[in-house]
Amino acid sequence: MLQVEMISGGMMPTNCYLLTDSATGISAVVDPGFWDQRLEVALEGKKVSCILLTHCHFDHILGTAQVQKKTGAPVYLHQAEEKFPTSPELNLSGMMGLSVQPFETGRLLQDGDTVMVGESVLEVLHTPGHTAGSCCFRCGETLLTGDTLMAGSMGRTDFPTGSWSQISESLQRLSRLEGDAKVYCGHGPSTSLNRERATNPYMMGDMGI
């Protein structure tokens, strides 16, 4: 069983998630877009096996170097995002007058890959559109969607590598997933697949999808 702890912070603010496999106590950190005392305290004593990035916009990666330094964990991101962490244009830090501290990438992901967090298996779903390498991570009835799908909304497509047609296809892919997974979004409250299927205009086809 995978336990999910949400910690929100940063200028946007962004949701960072601490995933912990209940059988082993092994954890993963998803989208550390900031570094503050709450996140530092939450990581105390945790055995972190990896840092997962749903995509590499600055508001999802600003705290990655600090988390890597504290935990020693490798960073996993989609192969299409390989150049994002070091590109102020791609990760959008340049337009905000910010700089992303460098971190070491340990693994480049592809659609259909699996990531082990203790005994829990996370499936990588490549869901481009917000960015070329946007990913969701699914483990049973837990679905982390980054900025691809948010409660009643979706991610913008007007930034570099964004695509309306691609995010439309990605949302329809999520809509077709079996079950009613709990959806943990990059910003805002959590939701569920059934709720979004029934109420989110971008998943229902009301916005030209």
Side-chain angles (χ1 to χ4, degrees):
M1 181 178 177
L2 199 64
Q3 301 173 338
V4 183
E5 179 182 357
M6 182 179 78
I7 304 169
S8 297
M11 59 191 301
M12 301 310 284
T14 303
N15 297 331
C16 173
Y17 295 98
L18 182 60
L19 312 179
T20 303
D21 174 59
S22 58
T24 63
I26 301 296
S27 300
V29 180
V30 181
D31 286 357
F34 56 92
W35 179 252
D36 63 13
Q37 186 177 18
R38 292 170 305 145
L39 182 53
E40 185 174 13
V41 169
L43 291 173
E44 288 294 338
K46 290 289 194 299
K47 299 176 182 179
V48 178
S49 62
C50 59
I51 301 165
L52 302 173
L53 303 178
T54 62
H55 66 292
C56 292
H57 281 161
F58 76 92
D59 55 319
H60 291 255
I61 67 172
L62 276 178
T64 301
Q66 290 94 329
V67 173
Q68 187 171 63
K69 181 178 180 180
K70 183 174 181 64
T71 65
V75 176
Y76 297 171
L77 53 94
H78 190 270
Q79 60 181 4
E81 308 264 305
E82 184 176 10
K83 296 181 179 179
F84 274 59
T86 57
S87 171
E89 292 76 23
L90 291 174
N91 65 43
L92 307 182
S93 61
M95 74 179 200
M96 302 299 294
L98 302 171
S99 60
V100 175
Q101 294 185 28
F103 54 84
E104 184 176 348
T105 299
R107 179 180 173 189
L108 296 176
L109 302 171
Q110 300 182 55
D111 184 60
D113 283 352
T114 56
V115 175
M116 298 298 300
V117 180
E119 297 179 0
S120 297
V121 182
L122 275 69
E123 179 186 3
V124 179
L125 305 176
H126 181 211
T127 52
H130 181 57
T131 63
S134 288
C135 285
C136 298
F137 301 104
R138 187 182 190 187
C139 180
E141 292 301 293
T142 297
L143 181 65
L144 297 109
T145 58
D147 286 1
T148 297
L149 172 64
M150 292 174 279
S153 185
M154 68 172 194
R156 293 173 58 170
T157 61
D158 57 338
F159 294 132
T161 79
S163 167
W164 173 265
S165 62
Q166 286 186 332
I167 203 169
S168 299
E169 293 173 1
S170 294
L171 289 170
Q172 289 308 297
R173 179 185 186 185
L174 296 180
S175 181
R176 291 191 296 268
L177 293 177
E178 294 183 1
D180 181 27
K182 185 165 184 179
V183 176
Y184 296 93
C185 313
H187 303 275
S190 59
T191 181
S192 70
L193 270 181
N194 279 350
R195 182 181 302 157
E196 297 310 304
R197 290 179 183 120
T199 64
N200 189 323
Y202 300 102
M203 292 190 80
M204 295 167 64
D206 292 350
M207 301 299 290
I209 293 176

